[in-house]
Amino acid sequence: MITVHTIRELREQVREARQQGRRIGFVPTMGNLHDGHISLVNNARQRECFVVASIFVNPLQFDDPDDLARYPRTLDQDQNMLAAAGCDLLFAPDVNEMYPEGQDRQTIIHVPEVSEGLCGGSRPGHFDGVATVVNKLFNMVQPDMAFFGEKDFQQVAVIKKMVADLCMPVEIVPVAIKRADDGLALSSRNGYLTEQEREQAKGLYQTLQEIADDFRAHKDIEQTLKTARERLDQRGFRTDYLEIRRTSDLAPATAEDDSVVILGAAYIGKARLIDNLLIDNLTITLNP
Ligand code: PAF
């Protein structure tokens, strides 16, 4: 695997791969990689792509400077994991390469509606930062396909809408959530958990499963979510949001909808964890 740090080198490498007739599969990340990221690389490889990954901790998508400062930077370890997974090229730019005019003078992409509420409600400006950096990265890499984990369900919706609205020639491939044996969704933020918090953390997925059971049983959304918030409290979480939304556009679900997604975000200690569970035709779509 080759690692490059500049847009010029990145474009040279991608051009060569294209000249060899390869399709480009892109895996954008912020590093501190885990098996969830590696499953994105595996998906790109299964499609016989020339796999380009990026690692860039994007300051534009952090609303809290402390959160940005403590975000783990583990480039050497990440490089080893990507190389072992068969990634072809790593783009690891610094902040000046990405925002040469400064972040304040950067054109911002705002994706309406799907960006609002949920994580967009608790983290103002977050999805503008995500959409802007992903747009720039797509223009730099010019991939045929880009791979995103479904743990960030709203992020996938934002990126799909951006790509559709701006007629960007890239296929967005959502990849199922990777979970630990006890159900906890893999996340770079799990590293912030103490041993005791890690034990409690599985309670978020348990709560989403209980919401799915309750919703299927009596379809009373308000009561289901009220009970679930109490359960999360008892499990040691501070709930940020728990919602049932329509899968197609993330609008609030009604009892008539048969394809919904249960989305949750909750704090445990200093870590803010997010997770979701899809229910299609009233059957839960289990993530492997
Ligand atoms: O999901 C992430 O890691 C980031 O939001 C992304 C898509 C790499 C943009 O910085």
Side-chain angles (χ1 to χ4, degrees):
M1 185 185 73
I2 298 171
T3 300
V4 295
H5 301 281
T6 65
I7 301 164
R8 192 182 53 76
E9 293 166 301
L10 166 72
R11 288 200 165 131
E12 259 170 40
Q13 295 293 330
V14 171
R15 195 179 310 120
E16 264 178 44
R18 280 216 184 280
Q19 276 163 2
Q20 288 161 20
R22 305 291 304 275
R23 288 188 307 172
I24 310 300
F26 181 41
V27 177
T29 81
M30 297 207 299
N32 196 230
L33 304 181
H34 50 68
D35 282 352
H37 297 107
I38 297 307
S39 79
L40 305 180
V41 173
N42 292 340
N43 263 270
R45 290 194 66 208
Q46 276 155 19
R47 286 170 171 78
E48 294 180 3
C49 290
F50 178 85
V51 185
V52 182
S54 66
I55 294 182
F56 178 61
V57 183
N58 173 33
L60 220 54
Q61 70 189 73
F62 285 81
D63 52 318
D64 171 0
D66 292 340
D67 192 21
L68 172 63
R70 73 186 174 131
Y71 200 88
R73 274 93 169 158
T74 52
L75 186 60
D76 289 349
Q77 186 188 308
D78 294 344
Q79 273 178 311
N80 291 339
M81 281 179 80
L82 288 169
C87 177
D88 296 291
L89 177 64
L90 169 63
F91 177 48
D94 68 12
V95 79
N96 291 325
E97 188 72 8
M98 290 301 290
Y99 300 119
E101 302 285 319
Q103 290 167 63
D104 294 343
R105 300 181 63 207
Q106 169 65 50
T107 300
I108 298 296
I109 305 285
H110 176 71
V111 182
E113 293 165 10
V114 285
S115 287
E116 283 135 34
L118 305 170
C119 288
S122 341
R123 304 180 67 192
H126 170 67
F127 286 119
D128 290 358
V130 170
T132 302
V133 80
V134 171
N135 193 304
K136 290 185 71 135
L137 288 165
F138 281 0
N139 287 331
M140 293 167 189
V141 178
Q142 304 203 346
D144 297 283
M145 297 173 205
F147 299 81
F148 292 87
E150 276 186 335
K151 181 174 73 65
D152 297 293
F153 197 88
Q154 189 178 14
Q155 170 169 282
V156 177
V158 167
I159 288 161
K160 276 186 175 168
K161 181 166 165 57
M162 173 183 78
V163 162
D165 286 357
L166 300 180
C167 308
M168 302 173 84
V170 50
E171 182 191 342
I172 302 304
V173 185
V175 176
I177 299 174
K178 271 264 174 200
R179 297 186 180 280
D181 289 345
D182 64 0
L184 177 67
L186 299 192
S187 164
S188 302
R189 291 177 188 272
N190 295 350
Y192 298 151
L193 299 169
T194 63
E195 210 174 307
Q196 192 201 332
E197 289 164 353
R198 171 62 191 84
E199 179 55 30
Q200 287 170 287
K202 63 181 180 213
L204 180 56
Y205 185 51
Q206 274 170 11
T207 308
L208 299 188
Q209 287 176 307
E210 288 159 1
I211 295 175
D213 291 341
D214 288 358
F215 180 69
R216 279 183 306 175
H218 48 71
K219 288 210 147 191
D220 181 341
I221 294 178
E222 215 172 297
Q223 183 55 45
T224 298
L225 293 177
K226 184 171 175 288
T227 311
R229 281 190 200 101
E230 287 162 9
R231 286 185 184 138
L232 263 190
D233 275 2
Q234 285 155 12
R235 288 177 170 145
F237 286 89
R238 185 161 55 82
T239 304
D240 178 355
Y241 63 76
L242 265 184
E243 304 235 5
I244 305 181
R245 296 288 184 105
R246 216 156 56 193
T247 311
S248 53
D249 58 1
L250 290 185
T254 66
E256 282 70 49
D257 288 316
D258 62 3
S259 178
V260 300
V261 54
I262 304 161
L263 299 129
Y267 290 89
I268 189 149
K270 285 192 187 130
R272 180 176 175 278
L273 305 181
I274 62 172
D275 200 351
N276 65 75
L277 190 56
L278 284 164
I279 317 179
D280 271 324
N281 299 319
L282 292 186
T283 47
I284 300 179
T285 309
L286 278 176
N287 296 301

